[in-house]
Amino acid sequence: MEYTVLGTSDLRITKIGLGTWQFGTEGWGFGQDFTEQEALATVDRALALGINLIDTAEVYGDGRSEEIVGKALAGRRDRVVLATKVLPRHLRARDLVRACDESLRRLNTDHIDLYQIHWPDSYVPLSESMAGLARLVEQGKVGYVGVSNFPVPLLRAAEDAFSGRIVSNQVRYNLLQREIENEILPYCREHGITVIAYSPLAQGLLTGKYDRNHLPADKIRQQNPLFREENLEQVFPVIDVVREIGKEHGATPAQVALHWVTQQDGVIAIPGAKRPAQVEENAGALEWSLSPDELARLDAVSADLDLSYF
Ligand SMILES: NC(=O)c1ccc[n+]([C@@H]2O[C@H](COP(=O)([O-])OP(=O)(O)OC[C@H]3O[C@@H](n4cnc5c(N)ncnc54)[C@H](OP(=O)(O)O)[C@@H]3O)[C@@H](O)[C@H]2O)c1
């Protein structure tokens, strides 16, 4: 396992963590495609493989994800850096305390290592939410504060309003969706803020297992414009290169995609997984190297995609 430090914190985290939006979320096929037992076994396997960062959110499965993670970590909470997120509608000072207490209860713990604002909110002033988060840190309920889906102007405003340091910005980043490279990634690097890449496998597309005749049928991905025909036309040639490069290393497309993301300075990834075999494959993404030539090929084939989100 490769480690790095989370932003300016003193937390040592693995460059590949585990995302758990899938746990408890029907839209991802929870209860049909995979079960709670498989989710618990996935966390078990992640820990056995040395993964030490687990990401969840109060909104995932309406709290079920946090509950499953809490159950999976019973008796070994201290082995992981536990990250969760608060909804924008809970950013008023009083709501924040209640939301944090509820997350602590579901996670079966007395502290959250990384508490992240899930999305910015335009109604609650950042001064109020950042002051509320600072109090949670003072009380020891929260170790460090991060944000998610924050563009640069809001990230700057959040930093100005916060008495401590913001250690991370969790944003979408994968070989097919590289928009953060324009502003967010350079800003975060300059400010010592770790980018936590979500959807690093483009919600499974970069694993190479989907094609036009076999696309995921769940609600979440049916709503993801990336899976629409006009975008898939541009996506498949990239996946062909990912597959070719993987073959040269005996690596799977998922491993190439995760390797590429975590190769970017200041970036770590939290691939979601539904079962132990997936986490096993993802954990093996860093056991080999991409040559400068291969990195250049991946860069060239994915640099000018013009995906449609409308
Ligand atoms: N902050 C935010 O707003 C935000 C937004 C999205 C996600 N996230 C976080 O980021 C995490 C990851 O993002 P994501 O779940 O959207 O996308 P992802 O990690 O790109 O894709 C996850 C999906 O890919 C498939 N998969 C994973 N590993 C695989 C493997 N080795 N082989 C084959 N298939 C594999 C699984 O679905 P199938 O097997 O069904 O294909 C899995 O559910 C989430 O769990 C969540 O914690 C945060």
Side-chain angles (χ1 to χ4, degrees), residues 3 7 28 30 56 120 134 156 210-211 223 231 250 258 262 267 289:
Y3 288 86
W28 270 107
F30 181 80
T56 181
R156 193 178 283 125
Y210 294 116
D211 60 44
Q223 287 166 2
N231 288 331
L258 291 175
T262 53
V267 180
S289 300

Side-chain angles (χ1 to χ4, degrees), residues 175-227:
L175 249 179
L176 306 172
Q177 297 173 301
R178 298 174 52 182
E179 298 81 359
I180 68 156
E181 290 175 8
N182 296 330
E183 290 178 10
I184 294 176
L185 186 51
Y187 182 90
C188 287
R189 282 178 178 150
E190 210 175 296
H191 288 241
I193 295 170
T194 295
V195 164
I196 302 181
Y198 73 67
S199 305
L201 296 169
Q203 298 203 329
L205 207 45
L206 281 166
T207 66
K209 67 181 174 182
Y210 294 116
D211 60 44
R212 280 193 182 76
N213 302 318
H214 172 232
L215 288 169
D218 52 75
K219 241 200 219 147
I220 301 280
R221 285 174 289 189
Q222 278 185 351
Q223 287 166 2
N224 183 346
L226 195 55
F227 288 80

Side-chain angles (χ1 to χ4, degrees), residues 18-23 28-29 33-34 54-57 59-60 65 83 85 116-119 147-149 169-174 177 196-210 214 216-218 220-221 224 227 252-255 258 269-283:
L18 173 66
T20 65
W21 179 14
Q22 287 68 12
F23 297 3
W28 270 107
D33 177 24
F34 69 113
I54 299 190
D55 178 76
T56 181
V59 73
Y60 295 164
S65 173
K85 311 183 201 79
Q116 306 154 99
I117 299 180
H118 207 146
W119 302 280
V147 294
S148 177
N149 300 306
N169 190 11
Q170 186 177 134
V171 285
R172 184 180 66 199
Y173 189 39
N174 61 60
Q177 297 173 301
I196 302 181
Y198 73 67
S199 305
L201 296 169
Q203 298 203 329
L205 207 45
L206 281 166
T207 66
K209 67 181 174 182
Y210 294 116
H214 172 232
D218 52 75
I220 301 280
R221 285 174 289 189
N224 183 346
F227 288 80
T252 64
Q255 290 174 329
L258 291 175
I270 48 165
K274 295 174 167 177
R275 40 188 70 90
Q278 292 186 341
V279 86
E280 212 160 288
E281 181 176 335
N282 300 342

